Each structure stands twice: as C-alpha cells, then as structure tokens.
C-alpha cells in the first residue's frame, strides 16, 4: 500500500455526520475500464485492487467500522480461463504483499465465501494465514467476498441449520459476526445486487454510481455516504 495515504493508528478524520458504519461495495467495472484503454482484463483488476486499498483507508477516516467488497463471485468462474488464472495469481500475490501492511495498520481481514475447489488449497491456506495474522486488529474489519454468492451462503447455512430463529440461522453464515450493511454501493452504472449479501442486505440502503470501479475516488465515496445520511431508514415501519 502506498505510504502517502497511511493514517496514524487511532486517527479518524472527515467522518460523515450520520454516515453509515457498515458499508459494502460491489466493485464493478474493472473489465470495461481495461477494455476502454486497450488493456488485458487483468490490468483492470489490478487497477481496481489498488483502488480498494485507497478506499479502505478512506473508510477508516470516514468512521466506517466494517467494509465489505465483492472480489470474486461463484459465477465469475465462467469467465475465460486466462482471466480467471490471472485473477488467482493476483489474489495470491496481493495476500502475500498486503497482509503485513494490513496488520501494521490495524486492519482485521476476513474472507467470506466457499473455501473449496475450484479454489486451490494453496490459496485457501494463504487466506487462513492472512486472517490469523490480522485477527487481533480492531481499527476496521475488512471483509473480502471471494468465491462468494449470496444464494450459496444461504444454502450452505441451511445445511447446518437445525431450526430456530433468524439469530440462530445467522450463526451458520460465513461471518456470523458481520453486521448487516447500512449501505451497499455499486459502481459502473449497473443497478442490481448480483447475488451479493442476499441475507445481510435485506434492509440496506443502496447508492448506484456511474463510475467504473477504478475511477471511484475518495470524493465519490464521500458523496455516497452523504447520500446515505439524507435517507430515513424505517425497517418496515412508518
């Protein structure tokens, strides 16, 4: 991570008044961003991953306690073999490089999704290592939805659910401790949830942005949070 945007431990600046504390983002548009520039898709994903790092730091300064990003879905395996292979190499490399930085900056890293084939055993082991390395951190929790699908999560939870209420069912989700997101942001102009946080997002507010994900700036992030602050959440009431 670039040191120019590092924050001293414990700092929290520019927090949006009445802003969300739990935010999720569908980081859409990396491939289109690359195509517009005549680049291979993986270059777009690399640019997108750089922006994730920057916006994670912004999330800390905005007072966000949990940030979840949609990294790779259960449906993304249908993409070309070259793109998928490039993505897997990128994930592996970035876990190696960025985990020590996240640990130093007080970020707790958690992966949510299926940890089984076709994800390699080696990559799964790296994910477990990264989680263990950052488990004691409390500054912000950074959830990465990898090999994730909202329906898959519900199905996997249902297999282990023996009855009870919603609180009991939640205990079987990939990250039972995760708070339901106050706000879900989607970039690239698309207006759908694409099988993301199907259970947790039942009462989330949504902001849809036109920017492709690599073009999603700190200012765009702040504007999205400000839009949320203008909403009145009723949760089915009046």
């Amino acid at each position: 991570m670039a040191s120019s945007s590092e924050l001293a431990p414990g700092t929290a600046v520019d927090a949006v008044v009445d802003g969300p504390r739990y935010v999720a983002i569908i980081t859409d548009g990396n491939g289109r961003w690359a195509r517009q520039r005549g680049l291979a898709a993986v270059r777009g994903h690399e640019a997108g991953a750089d922006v994730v790092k920057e916006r994670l730091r912004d999330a800390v300064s905005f007072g966000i306690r949990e940030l979840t990003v949609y990294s790779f879905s259960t449906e993304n395996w249908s993409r070309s073999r070259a793109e998928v292979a490039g993505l897997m190499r990128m994930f592996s490399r970035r876990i190696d490089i960025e985990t020590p930085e996240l640990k130093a900056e007080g970020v707790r890293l958690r992966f949510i999704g299926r940890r089984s084939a076709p994800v390699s055993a080696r990559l799964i082991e790296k994910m477990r290592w990264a989680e263990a390395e950052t488990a004691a951190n409390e500054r912000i929790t950074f959830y990465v939805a990898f090999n994730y699908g909202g329906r898959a999560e519900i199905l996997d939870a249902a297999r282990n659910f023996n009855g009870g209420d919603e609180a009991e069912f939640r205990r079987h989700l990939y990250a039972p401790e995760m708070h339901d997101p106050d706000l879900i942001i989607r970039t690239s102009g698309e207006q759908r949830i694409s099988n993301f946080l199907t259970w947790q997002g039942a009462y989330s507010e949504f902001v849809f942005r036109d920017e492709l994900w690599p073009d999603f700036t700190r200012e765009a992030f702040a504007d999205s949070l400000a839009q949320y602050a203008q909403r009145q959440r009723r949760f089915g009431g009046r």
Side-chain angles (χ1 to χ4, degrees), residues 66 102 106-110 131 134-143 177:
E66 294 177 4
L102 295 174
V107 178
R108 175 176 174 252
L109 177 61
R110 285 277 279 118
E131 289 179 328
T134 62
N137 290 345
E138 298 180 346
R139 191 179 192 188
I140 189 173
T141 300
F142 179 40
Y143 292 100
E177 79 284 2

Side-chain angles (χ1 to χ4, degrees), residues 16 79 83 108 136 167 219:
V16 177
R79 296 182 178 183
E83 182 177 354
R108 175 176 174 252
E219 291 72 25

Side-chain angles (χ1 to χ4, degrees), residues 31-170:
R32 275 172 280 174
W33 185 91
R35 286 195 299 273
Q36 288 175 2
R37 290 158 178 77
L39 303 172
V42 71
R43 294 285 298 278
H45 295 304
E46 290 280 6
D50 289 340
V51 172
V52 168
K53 292 192 300 184
E54 295 166 5
R55 300 295 79 80
L56 173 61
R57 285 202 173 105
D58 291 339
V60 173
S61 72
F62 291 147
I64 292 168
R65 299 298 302 153
E66 294 177 4
L67 180 68
T68 306
V69 298
Y70 207 1
S71 172
F72 189 85
S73 77
T74 50
E75 290 75 35
N76 287 156
W77 295 103
S78 65
R79 296 182 178 183
S80 73
R81 292 178 65 181
E83 182 177 354
V84 170
L87 278 165
M88 295 303 117
R89 287 192 296 270
M90 184 190 78
F91 290 142
S92 180
R93 184 179 70 256
R94 284 185 176 263
I95 289 173
D96 288 339
I97 295 171
E98 294 173 16
T99 297
E101 297 170 353
L102 295 174
K103 181 177 181 179
E105 293 185 32
V107 178
R108 175 176 174 252
L109 177 61
R110 285 277 279 118
F111 293 93
I112 59 172
R114 285 180 168 169
R115 302 193 187 191
S116 58
V119 182
S120 73
R122 176 60 176 154
L123 184 51
I124 292 170
E125 182 57 34
K126 287 190 178 188
M127 291 160 60
R128 290 174 178 152
W129 166 76
E131 289 179 328
E133 284 291 294
T134 62
N137 290 345
E138 298 180 346
R139 191 179 192 188
I140 189 173
T141 300
F142 179 40
Y143 292 100
V144 178
F146 178 79
N147 195 28
Y148 177 86
R151 290 180 174 179
E153 180 175 28
I154 292 170
L155 283 172
D156 290 346
R159 291 189 183 98
N160 298 306
F161 181 57
N162 295 315
D165 58 13
E166 288 188 8
E168 178 60 34
F169 188 84
R170 177 181 288 275

